[in-house]
Amino acid sequence: MTYTKIRRVSDALGLVAIAAARLLPLPGAARQMGTLTQLKDIGLFHSQGLIGGRWSDAHDGRTLSVNNPATGELLTTVPFMGGVETQHAIAAASEAFPAWSRRTAADRGKLLRKWFDLLLTHKDDLGRIMTLEQGKPLAEAIGEVTYGAGFVELYAEEAKRVCGDIIPSPYPEKRIFVLKQPVGVVGAITPWNFPLAMITRKVAPALAAGCTIIVKPAELTPLTALAAAELALQAGIPPGVLNIVMGDAVEIGAAMMASTEVRKITFTGSTGVGKKLMAGAAGTVKKISLELGGNAPCIIFDDANLEVAVKGTLAGKYRNTGQTCVCINRVLVQDGIYEKFAHAFVKAVSQLQVGNGLENGVTQGPLINEAALLKVENHVQDAVSKGAKVLTGGKRHSLGRTFYEPTVLGHATDDMLIFREEVFGPVAPLVRFKTEEEAIKLANDTEFGLSSYIFTENIARGWRVAEALEYGMVGINEGLISTEVAPFGGMKQSGLGREGSKYGIDEYLELKYVCLGNMKQTLP
Ligand code: ADP
């Protein structure tokens, strides 16, 4: 590669500037060339925040590293921002709000549509960036880009369908109207497990409704968010409408909470942090939507189609190496099918291919970090100490780092940690049950209520159990239920509000009742 080319690539990364400002050794940038030159459009790779349409560093120059979990390699550094930058971003979003909200819905929809087109045009690059920072297999990452872009397409269309209402008035001289208006500036905080889709499912409805937004992606996976933001700018979404800050999560969150200009918080992440944000939002009485942890049951009844049940449970459990909030956490298997299911399931699980997500054929990437690995180990050790049997896997993978063997545990019981908490890793505990009633009781025996799954060939049973499950989402004979057109969200301590579908945009709208009085009863 020529010096000019290297220089251009480094500039695109912001690494030359960073190196000059912070005395980062340039060889770090050079080390990255191999990986980065595989991007078709190097311009997607940004390593600065986005405030008011300008790519920005932290005011004090602090940075944080972004590493590839599959190799440990330093990908780049990004600004370690905090309260100061968040306030700047809030100011930019507030400034952009009046003009953006006054545009026609059709106009906002057109820009979102362009963004959607660009996301799909660049899906291979976005997928590659995602695999590099998050670890999921490339095919799965590209699949997430398509899924994530779907929210942008959906809300490009829904923007035009935000209709108000006229209510028949009980008074002859008055008329009653309902307007729907954007809530204002939105603060969005997102996790690392879906670096794109968790952002688009918030940003797209917010922008469609006429809101402006500040997004704080997870510090582990900011690069996909920044690449998507670059494409939003290219689509013509005006400066300040979409802002990205990352760094000190607590400070950024606190700045969003303290601001009277931020009228709405939308969060996906752990239940613990969600509760803190809910409490924080009380100070300024912000609207809030929360998509928190789950503890998904998957009930396999005796009358299930074995092949469908194995396939569905495999997909619902091991997607993203078990690191999604809708991942199956507990597999409840009825007595009569238990042995047959366990045998077929273990066979399927042992065929999963673990490795670097950029390698062909890999279906299971690494866990996101050491803490995630320790949690998985702890859950398995706890289960085994209480009588569970390891049917396959059960230990760290020979690849080292944070790779863990896809695992199935037999004889799991409700006193085990894994029955109570999300394992967020590739471990499926099989719990035996006898009756439908017992299965429902076990399934609902948790403070969480996000997703649930049932496998049965009996339609009446499927419907009956779906009604009885205290969960926001139920898959019947299906392990993959997420789609932008359906309302995604939980009951109980799994959250508030819904994302996606025609309902998702309501979270970003205020209802305003307008009463028109003194109407003349007769024509003049
Ligand atoms: P996970 O365990 O999946 O990482 P977290 O709830 O810790 O879930 O993280 C989800 C998002 O919330 C991330 O962007 C993270 O940086 C952010 N976050 C964590 N703690 C706080 C906090 N106290 N205030 C605001 N955001 C936070």
Side-chain angles (χ1 to χ4, degrees):
M1 193 189 276
T2 62
Y3 174 77
T4 335
K5 269 195 194 149
I6 291 176
R7 174 76 200 205
R8 210 180 317 125
V9 172
S10 306
D11 275 348
L13 266 171
L15 281 172
V16 168
I18 291 169
R22 297 168 208 150
L23 302 177
L24 255 189
L26 251 184
R31 256 203 321 274
Q32 248 333 289
M33 290 307 159
T35 317
L36 285 168
T37 46
Q38 288 166 18
L39 288 182
K40 292 177 197 155
D41 183 351
I42 196 70
L44 290 189
F45 208 105
H46 278 281
S47 54
Q48 289 172 294
L50 180 66
I51 299 176
R54 293 166 70 102
W55 296 103
S56 314
D57 287 325
H59 74 286
D60 54 6
R62 284 196 294 167
T63 58
L64 94 124
S65 307
V66 183
N67 295 81
N68 179 342
T71 61
E73 182 185 22
L74 172 73
L75 292 171
T76 186
T77 60
V78 292
F80 187 77
M81 295 174 158
V84 173
E85 296 79 5
T86 307
Q87 278 161 10
H88 291 160
I90 294 170
S94 300
E95 202 183 316
F97 176 72
W100 180 249
S101 57
R102 279 200 294 265
R103 285 199 183 208
T104 63
D107 196 11
R108 289 196 298 267
K110 268 186 208 140
L111 295 181
L112 284 172
R113 177 77 209 187
K114 272 195 205 152
W115 189 26
F116 162 75
D117 289 338
L118 286 170
L119 288 167
L120 283 195
T121 305
H122 294 277
K123 70 176 193 299
D124 292 347
D125 275 353
L126 289 166
R128 184 168 288 276
I129 294 171
M130 194 188 297
T131 296
L132 284 170
E133 66 177 349
Q134 200 269 348
K136 66 176 66 179
L138 186 59
E140 214 175 304
I142 293 172
E144 184 187 330
V145 177
T146 309
Y147 167 55
F151 290 95
V152 182
E153 183 186 42
L154 176 78
Y155 289 110
E157 295 157 357
E158 287 299 314
K160 291 178 279 188
R161 298 189 192 115
V162 176
C163 300
D165 214 350
I166 302 172
I167 296 175
S169 172
Y171 312 103
E173 77 291 1
K174 295 182 188 175
R175 296 293 179 270
I176 294 174
F177 302 92
V178 180
L179 303 182
K180 289 188 181 175
Q181 294 183 313
V183 290
V185 174
V186 175
I189 300 176
T190 59
W192 48 265
N193 59 346
F194 287 92
L196 182 75
M198 294 301 120
I199 291 177
T200 52
R201 62 160 59 178
K202 294 171 167 48
V203 173
L207 266 51
C211 299
T212 55
I213 195 162
I214 301 112
V215 178
K216 191 205 84 58
E219 283 60 44
L220 294 165
T221 58
L223 305 180
T224 311
L226 296 172
E230 161 68 31
L231 294 173
L233 290 179
Q234 287 182 23
I237 291 173
V241 171
L242 167 62
N243 305 275
I244 313 261
V245 294
M246 75 291 292
D248 185 331
V250 175
E251 256 197 40
I252 294 171
M256 286 182 179
M257 293 304 157
S259 166
T260 50
E261 284 160 283
V262 175
R263 295 305 316 137
K264 151 109 196 165
I265 292 291
T266 169
F267 171 76
T268 300
S270 61
T271 305
V273 173
K275 286 180 182 176
K276 279 189 204 156
L277 296 178
M278 196 171 172
T284 51
V285 192
K286 295 185 203 312
K287 270 179 174 281
I288 185 156
S289 21
L290 303 170
E291 201 267 275
L292 309 176
N295 182 3
C298 171
I299 312 175
I300 320 279
F301 286 103
D302 283 347
D303 54 19
N305 174 317
L306 186 64
E307 204 181 313
V308 171
V310 168
K311 193 167 155 245
T313 311
L314 193 73
K317 171 70 244 184
Y318 295 94
R319 175 183 180 212
N320 204 6
T321 316
Q323 304 174 107
T324 88
C325 47
V326 290
C327 268
I328 292 165
N329 204 50
R330 301 168 289 155
V331 188
L332 314 178
V333 194
Q334 201 164 12
D335 230 10
I337 199 174
Y338 186 94
E339 296 303 337
K340 261 194 292 182
F341 176 82
H343 180 77
F345 189 58
V346 165
K347 191 168 162 215
V349 172
S350 6
Q351 283 161 8
L352 293 172
Q353 195 79 34
V354 180
N356 183 332
L358 288 181
E359 285 164 17
N360 278 339
V362 164
T363 55
Q364 297 283 286
L367 290 165
I368 189 70
N369 58 20
E370 189 66 20
L373 181 69
L374 291 175
K375 183 178 188 189
V376 168
E377 281 192 321
N378 183 28
H379 276 209
V380 171
Q381 274 158 19
D382 171 81
V384 170
S385 76
K386 290 173 180 158
K389 298 270 170 301
V390 175
L391 303 181
T392 184
K395 57 184 190 307
R396 291 180 181 218
H397 196 275
S398 56
L399 283 172
R401 303 203 58 79
T402 56
F403 290 97
Y404 196 86
E405 292 181 350
T407 298
V408 182
L409 302 174
H411 304 288
T413 44
D414 61 3
D415 57 337
M416 296 173 180
L417 216 54
I418 199 163
F419 188 94
R420 300 280 145 206
E421 291 176 8
E422 252 179 333
V423 61
F424 235 63
V427 184
L430 308 187
V431 181
R432 201 187 274 260
F433 72 89
K434 287 199 167 64
T435 64
E436 186 178 307
E437 196 189 0
E438 186 191 354
I440 294 169
K441 198 155 170 267
L442 280 168
N444 287 340
D445 181 18
T446 168
E447 66 265 35
F448 299 104
L450 191 59
S451 64
S452 55
Y453 307 85
I454 307 162
F455 287 89
T456 175
E457 290 290 277
N458 178 331
I459 296 173
R461 166 177 272 163
W463 196 254
R464 198 165 54 229
V465 177
E467 284 182 354
L469 289 173
E470 296 163 355
Y471 287 83
M473 295 174 282
V474 186
I476 305 178
N477 295 327
E478 182 54 64
L480 297 177
I481 56 173
S482 302
T483 156
E484 70 276 9
V485 300
F488 187 107
M491 295 181 181
K492 294 159 103 178
Q493 294 186 33
S494 284
L496 290 176
R498 294 293 180 269
E499 296 191 304
S501 79
K502 64 176 179 178
Y503 305 105
I505 199 161
D506 292 343
E507 306 285 337
Y508 301 90
L509 294 165
E510 288 280 12
L511 290 187
K512 185 183 280 175
Y513 154 48
V514 180
C515 178
L516 173 67
N518 195 27
M519 287 284 295
K520 292 257 182 317
Q521 290 309 300
T522 50
L523 291 172

